[in-house]
Amino acid sequence: MKRFIKGGSGFWQTVTALGMIAAFLVFFTPAGVFSHGEQKHEHDLENLPEKPEGMIQFGNEDKEAPTPGSEYADPAPKGEMKMDHGGHDMGHDMGHDMQHDMGGHDMGHDMHGGGKDSFLTRGEHDLSNIQQPQTKSQALMARGRNIYLHMCVFCHGKDGNGGGEAVDYLYPWPRDFRKGIFKFRSTPTGTLPRDEDLYRTIIKGVPNTSMPAWEAALSPQDTWALVNMIKSFSDRFREEPPGPKIEIPKAPEPTAKTIARGRELFDEHKCDDCHGMSGKGDGKLAGSLKDAWKHAVFVHDITNPNYLKAGYRPQDIFKTLSTGLDGTPMNSYANLPEEDRWALVHFIRSRFAKEFAKGEFETDVYSFYMPYELDTDPASPVWEKVETTRIVLRPLSARRDAVEVIRFQSVNNGKQLAIRLRWKDSTKDGFVENRGDVFRDGSAVQLALGDVTLHTHGHNEPFFGMGNRGKPVNIWHWKAGLEETIEATEDSEYSTGGVDMDALIFGGTMTNPVAKLGTTAQNTVEELNGEGFGTITPQPKEQQNVLGYGTWEDGEWDVVFLRDMDTMGKWDAKLNKEDPILIAFAVWDGKKEDRNGRKVVSVWQRLNVLREATSQQGG
């Protein structure tokens, strides 16, 4: 299979060097300090574990607070240490961090003017003077980098500038860490977040954006290491103290009077200019807002508790009103009396139009053994008593009324394995005869190839966004109405008006001129492989071996995928494995004009294929 991703040799040399450091840590770090396995981790935000030694220390807390707004100014040049973010060398950056963190100990290497650090250089081995990480701060930074390069670099970029490989598929863009500006804090506007604020964002994610919740993936120790890594991208953390923590008082009970007062304040402070009178983000200014990086701002629907990025509980909303969301047009209202801020909280919550959608972000799912013949009928009685798992989906491109949860079931009879996916969708968007400008609903199952595990030492699983170089994935893509599409005339107009590989696979109809390359024959599922963005490739026609069928009724899609458990080639996922299979999901909503990388996705789950009869009650 061809690989289309290009990577700079300097970057991959650095990754290799970091792997060497990680290997040292395995042998020289006490057990438990950096535990990072397949178990589901627990995080108590009200009682966080003690931070490890070696964390980047904030600047002098007695130092005068910076002028409000100064965080948006470009930093002054720093001579040799100024970063070149166009061709940034992470090895140089790591030397920069060590210079700060090691208390002046340079381990005999030249780190002060662009000199090569042999400890980070591939092939530079002096067996007479083998170097190990010398301080806890250096070990912590190395660990944080290892996790960052595996879990964060695709979106946030190797130098923390928010410009990773995925950025072309994402809206809003990932956070640029270099200016030290963060939305989600417990500190006053214009000040640095506290370490625990960064911790919370990492494990809870940012709802209705592409930022996952890594709570189940990271141990507390690993989360602290990642917090430390994020802080290393901005000198503000070494030069300034964090802001004082804003204490959140106990929420008063809402009353008709406080809700009415909240509505008055909403009008008085022109909240409707952005959020709209409806609260759905359709205010007169909503389409023209920019953030600190001059990127377009998406105003979320605050009548949906699932979209409140800093949390939907009363205390969460109170904190957001008190701190503002730095870097965005959302100001702090800390100047309002406490009772007025609570009134606004009660008014906002009084307009919640739906319940909070609960689901698993990363978990174990199961294919239960059933000694029956399997087919693609969603109404088959085989599904009646099979356990259902609700899995959280996140949009790569922000939208209103996104599909928030997908319901997963799976069964196998030892020879075939079936997967059933169900999700809410208010409209059925499939094939329309003689129309090529109609976007269709769809869903996909993504399976990791090879013997990979999730979040173990070495991080050998592929990126959940269509894999990455050397770590391919197998994708089963179902498209609504494909049966009718196959019968359409060959002169149907191509919906996107252009030809590229991603659009060919995921957009338009299979009857446009370039679709003569189509491989699905009479299948409603197309089987593909990928090694990262822009590498999606269909399997040959004779190896298309996944069947599927979907029905839409009462605002819900119900789709079943079916495949033999034996493989037809090396690009098919092995379904007979004893170990869990990594599996992820995607959904396209035609009404939202979804196609290609515009979709909602899950992160990896662990699919356990059971071999003995199991009957589980689900819903």
Side-chain angles (χ1 to χ4, degrees), residues 13-25 28 90-92 94-95 98 102 105-111 115-126 129-135 137-139 141-143 145:
Q13 288 176 0
T14 304
V15 173
T16 301
L18 291 170
M20 295 169 55
I21 297 174
F24 277 123
L25 296 178
F28 297 102
M90 291 189 71
H92 176 74
M94 190 168 190
M98 291 177 187
M102 293 173 58
H105 301 288
D106 64 8
M107 296 172 59
H109 304 307
D110 179 11
M111 298 182 182
K116 184 172 66 174
D117 179 5
S118 61
F119 187 71
L120 302 174
T121 304
R122 187 176 182 178
E124 294 286 336
H125 302 283
D126 182 358
N129 183 29
I130 296 177
Q131 301 291 330
Q132 300 176 12
Q134 297 294 302
T135 68
S137 61
Q138 185 181 349
M141 183 64 69
R143 180 59 176 169
R145 285 183 181 278

Side-chain angles (χ1 to χ4, degrees), residues 439-516:
F439 299 96
R440 292 178 295 162
D441 299 332
S443 64
V445 173
Q446 177 178 267
L447 302 148
L449 293 178
D451 295 325
V452 296
T453 53
L454 190 59
H455 305 313
T456 54
H457 282 292
H459 295 294
N460 68 344
E461 76 268 21
F463 178 47
F464 67 88
M466 298 186 290
N468 52 297
R469 187 177 184 180
K471 298 180 180 181
V473 295
N474 183 200
I475 298 170
W476 308 347
H477 185 202
W478 172 85
K479 288 158 273 192
L482 186 56
E483 301 93 336
E484 297 93 336
T485 303
I486 293 172
E487 299 170 359
T489 58
E490 291 194 356
D491 59 355
S492 294
E493 184 178 351
Y494 191 47
S495 64
T496 59
V499 179
D500 65 77
M501 181 56 73
D502 284 344
L504 169 61
I505 301 307
F506 294 130
T509 68
M510 289 296 293
T511 57
N512 66 78
V514 295
K516 294 176 181 179

Side-chain angles (χ1 to χ4, degrees), residues 11 83 85-86 88 90 93 144-145 147-184 198 200-206 209-214 218 226-227 229-234 291 293 295 394 396 463-464 533:
F11 171 67
M83 296 182 182
H85 296 294
H88 186 73
M90 291 189 71
D93 183 31
R145 285 183 181 278
I147 298 169
Y148 182 89
L149 287 172
H150 175 67
M151 301 177 70
C152 314
V153 71
F154 300 100
C155 296
H156 291 286
K158 61 183 181 181
D159 65 350
N161 70 347
E165 289 184 58
V167 70
D168 289 341
Y169 299 84
L170 306 179
Y171 170 64
W173 283 9
R175 173 63 56 238
D176 179 343
F177 298 131
R178 295 172 300 174
K179 285 184 178 290
I181 301 172
F182 293 87
K183 295 179 183 177
F184 312 114
L198 301 179
R200 180 197 180 281
T201 302
I202 291 169
I203 67 167
K204 292 300 182 184
V206 183
T209 76
S210 57
M211 173 62 192
W214 294 120
L218 295 172
L226 194 51
V227 167
M229 175 64 191
I230 291 168
K231 291 172 65 177
S232 75
F233 288 119
S234 174
D291 65 14
W293 296 267
H295 300 155
R394 288 280 171 84
L396 299 186
F463 178 47
F464 67 88
F533 305 109

Side-chain angles (χ1 to χ4, degrees), residues 349-572:
R349 286 178 53 85
S350 73
R351 303 210 299 175
F352 281 176
K354 62 189 302 183
E355 295 293 323
F356 182 75
K358 295 182 179 180
E360 298 290 337
F361 212 92
E362 179 184 293
T363 191
D364 286 279
V365 294
Y366 298 89
S367 180
F368 293 97
Y369 179 83
M370 294 285 181
Y372 309 121
E373 184 176 349
L374 302 178
D375 57 32
T376 58
D377 182 6
S380 170
V382 74
W383 300 109
E384 291 179 359
K385 294 185 178 181
V386 177
E387 179 180 275
T388 298
T389 304
R390 294 168 58 86
I391 296 171
V392 173
L393 301 177
R394 288 280 171 84
L396 299 186
S397 181
R399 78 273 305 275
R400 296 176 182 85
D401 301 318
V403 179
E404 298 160 355
V405 171
I406 196 167
R407 288 180 289 163
F408 168 90
Q409 292 175 291
S410 181
V411 294
N412 76 87
N413 59 13
K415 296 181 178 180
Q416 291 182 306
L417 183 144
I419 291 172
R420 184 190 189 194
L421 302 179
R422 289 176 287 168
W423 69 93
K424 298 290 186 182
D425 188 340
S426 60
T427 60
K428 177 183 179 181
D429 301 292
F431 172 74
V432 178
E433 190 170 1
N434 295 324
R435 289 284 302 277
D437 58 349
V438 175
F439 299 96
R440 292 178 295 162
D441 299 332
S443 64
V445 173
Q446 177 178 267
L447 302 148
L449 293 178
D451 295 325
V452 296
T453 53
L454 190 59
H455 305 313
T456 54
H457 282 292
H459 295 294
N460 68 344
E461 76 268 21
F463 178 47
F464 67 88
M466 298 186 290
N468 52 297
R469 187 177 184 180
K471 298 180 180 181
V473 295
N474 183 200
I475 298 170
W476 308 347
H477 185 202
W478 172 85
K479 288 158 273 192
L482 186 56
E483 301 93 336
E484 297 93 336
T485 303
I486 293 172
E487 299 170 359
T489 58
E490 291 194 356
D491 59 355
S492 294
E493 184 178 351
Y494 191 47
S495 64
T496 59
V499 179
D500 65 77
M501 181 56 73
D502 284 344
L504 169 61
I505 301 307
F506 294 130
T509 68
M510 289 296 293
T511 57
N512 66 78
V514 295
K516 294 176 181 179
L517 301 174
T519 61
T520 56
Q522 297 302 309
N523 261 356
T524 58
V525 174
E526 187 163 25
E527 193 173 5
L528 313 118
N529 292 102
E531 283 188 297
F533 305 109
T535 69
I536 299 300
T537 306
Q539 290 198 3
K541 182 183 298 185
E542 63 274 11
Q543 293 186 356
Q544 294 282 333
N545 62 336
V546 182
L547 302 177
Y549 187 76
T551 61
W552 183 90
E553 186 176 358
D554 297 330
E556 180 174 274
W557 275 110
D558 195 341
V559 178
V560 173
F561 299 82
L562 180 68
R563 206 204 81 179
D564 290 343
M565 295 183 71
D566 290 336
T567 64
M568 292 186 67
K570 66 178 182 179
W571 300 114
D572 285 352

